[in-house]
Amino acid sequence: MGGARATASAAKLFLVHFEGTTFVAEDEEGRSERRGSGLGRALYERFFRAARAHGRTLVRCVLPPEAGEAVAFHRALGFEVERVAEDYDGPGEDWLLLVKRL
């Protein structure tokens, strides 16, 4: 399995496995990116409320360290870098593990 089929399967997994805490916003043309509009923050705040309602007290995410804008965005939401996961995405592919306490 690969390519579009693998991507579709991953999306379906998220929508089924994380039902009730997965939120997607799209415009009429199916685009979801709206950097700087506050949409990402609003979706995360909705997710945080849902996670709390499900009894969760901690949220984790992973990001590549070179994704400076994404790291800054998550830090502004209250995420902290927990550690660097070495070889997370293969040899030499270290990622940041971030955590936010709800």
Side-chain angles (χ1 to χ4, degrees):
M1 183 187 307
R5 185 171 175 195
T7 301
S9 293
K12 184 176 180 181
L13 171 68
F14 269 90
L15 293 173
V16 171
H17 183 74
F18 297 107
E19 183 180 357
T21 58
T22 299
F23 305 101
V24 177
E26 294 180 332
D27 65 12
E28 304 81 35
E29 298 173 15
R31 295 174 301 195
S32 62
E33 188 171 315
R34 294 276 189 241
R35 286 192 175 169
S37 71
L39 178 60
R41 178 177 292 278
L43 285 170
Y44 251 122
E45 292 300 332
R46 185 171 177 184
F47 168 73
F48 296 149
R49 286 191 303 274
R52 284 186 200 101
H54 284 86
R56 303 297 182 247
T57 59
L58 192 70
V59 174
R60 295 181 188 277
C61 80
V62 294
L63 293 170
E66 66 273 7
E69 287 184 25
V71 173
F73 171 71
H74 284 79
R75 291 185 70 115
L77 289 173
F79 283 87
E80 297 177 1
V81 176
E82 183 176 40
R83 67 183 177 90
V84 175
E86 294 181 10
D87 301 329
Y88 181 86
D89 201 28
E93 298 290 330
D94 302 342
W95 281 49
L96 300 175
L97 300 182
L98 291 92
V99 63
K100 175 181 172 67
R101 301 197 188 293
L102 299 178

